[in-house]
């Protein structure tokens, strides 16, 4: 019985020290977790689509449409999300689309560095140029090289007609190596 109480006393002491002494003074553990959150609001951009089923980047003329409002280990460059470190990341993106009534528009995440689609696509049938549809896709970003670039793209599978993007929001966080 004395051994059990002695062992418990040691565990309680270790726990008390772990709680009282941070790993790195002045730096919280959550500040070290790679993450990014942002998008754009109150901005409308028209994506010119010359032919059906051709993917086009969701960007503006000055390549500064997407904004990171909070992040560690991520940045935006020319409307490409740059992931600084190797690893797997998860998240979501929601983009509000509109277009010609009856047209089918899809969005995807594209790995620019590896020249490959990242995950699945999803879309909606448009109901006119003033009727916006929020379209959400889960993100799973596999990063094999530091500073890998990703971008969000749209296509119109019905015809070579433009798609209008009004707003977007995304969030991504580190999962594992």
């Amino acid at each position: 019985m004395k051994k059990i109480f002695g062992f418990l006393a040691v565990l309680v002491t270790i726990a008390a020290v772990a709680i009282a002494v941070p790993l790195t003074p002045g730096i919280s553990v959550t500040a070290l977790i790679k993450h990014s959150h942002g998008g754009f609001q109150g901005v409308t951009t028209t994506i010119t689509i010359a032919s059906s089923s051709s993917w086009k980047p969701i960007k503006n003329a000055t390549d500064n449409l997407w904004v990171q409002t909070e992040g560690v280990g991520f940045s935006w460059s020319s409307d490409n999300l740059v992931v600084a470190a190797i690893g797997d990341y998860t998240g979501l993106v929601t983009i509000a689309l509109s277009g010609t009534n009856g047209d089918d528009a899809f969005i995807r995440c594209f790995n620019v560095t590896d020249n490959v689609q990242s995950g699945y696509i999803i879309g909606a049938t448009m109901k006119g140029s003033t009727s916006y549809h929020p379209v959400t896709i889960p993100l799973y970003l596999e990063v094999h090289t530091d500073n890998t670039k990703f971008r969000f793209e749209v296509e119109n599978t019905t015809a070579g007609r433009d798609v209008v993007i009004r707003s977007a929001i995304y969030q991504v966080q580190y999962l594992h190596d």
Side-chain angles (χ1 to χ4, degrees), residues 81-153:
L81 179 64
V82 181
V83 185
I86 293 170
D88 287 4
Y89 300 80
T90 63
L92 290 169
V93 63
T94 299
I95 299 172
L97 318 164
S98 74
T100 302
N101 188 34
D103 283 5
D104 296 321
F106 291 83
I107 61 170
R108 75 175 181 178
C109 182
F110 186 76
N111 182 325
V112 177
T113 303
D114 295 340
N115 195 34
V116 64
Q117 180 174 300
S118 181
Y120 291 105
I121 68 172
I122 197 163
T125 300
M126 304 295 100
K127 293 191 177 173
S129 60
T130 59
S131 180
Y132 287 88
H133 302 275
V135 177
T136 301
I137 58 172
L139 300 173
Y140 190 86
L141 309 179
E142 293 183 276
V143 178
H144 305 290
T145 0
D146 290 348
N147 299 311
T148 294
K149 293 180 182 178
F150 293 88
R151 71 178 175 222
F152 300 112
E153 297 180 337

Side-chain angles (χ1 to χ4, degrees), residues 5-171:
F5 284 121
F7 179 72
L8 289 174
V10 169
L11 285 179
V12 168
T13 303
I14 291 170
V17 170
I19 290 169
V21 179
L23 296 174
T24 306
I27 298 177
S28 71
V29 175
T30 56
L32 302 175
I33 298 171
K34 294 171 264 206
H35 65 281
S36 182
H37 171 80
F40 56 93
Q41 302 290 300
V43 177
T44 300
T45 186
T46 299
I47 309 302
T48 304
I49 299 178
S51 61
S52 67
S53 300
S54 63
W55 290 101
K56 299 297 177 189
I58 297 173
K59 60 188 219 112
N60 62 7
T62 53
D63 291 332
N64 64 353
L65 178 65
W66 293 88
V67 176
Q68 175 175 272
T69 55
E70 166 62 32
V72 173
F74 292 83
S75 61
W76 281 93
S77 175
S78 300
D79 284 330
N80 292 303
L81 179 64
V82 181
V83 185
I86 293 170
D88 287 4
Y89 300 80
T90 63
L92 290 169
V93 63
T94 299
I95 299 172
L97 318 164
S98 74
T100 302
N101 188 34
D103 283 5
D104 296 321
F106 291 83
I107 61 170
R108 75 175 181 178
C109 182
F110 186 76
N111 182 325
V112 177
T113 303
D114 295 340
N115 195 34
V116 64
Q117 180 174 300
S118 181
Y120 291 105
I121 68 172
I122 197 163
T125 300
M126 304 295 100
K127 293 191 177 173
S129 60
T130 59
S131 180
Y132 287 88
H133 302 275
V135 177
T136 301
I137 58 172
L139 300 173
Y140 190 86
L141 309 179
E142 293 183 276
V143 178
H144 305 290
T145 0
D146 290 348
N147 299 311
T148 294
K149 293 180 182 178
F150 293 88
R151 71 178 175 222
F152 300 112
E153 297 180 337
V154 64
E155 74 170 340
N156 183 336
T157 60
T158 307
R161 290 189 282 262
D162 298 348
V163 175
V164 178
I165 311 293
R166 181 174 60 188
S167 56
I169 188 167
Y170 77 93
Q171 58 88 21

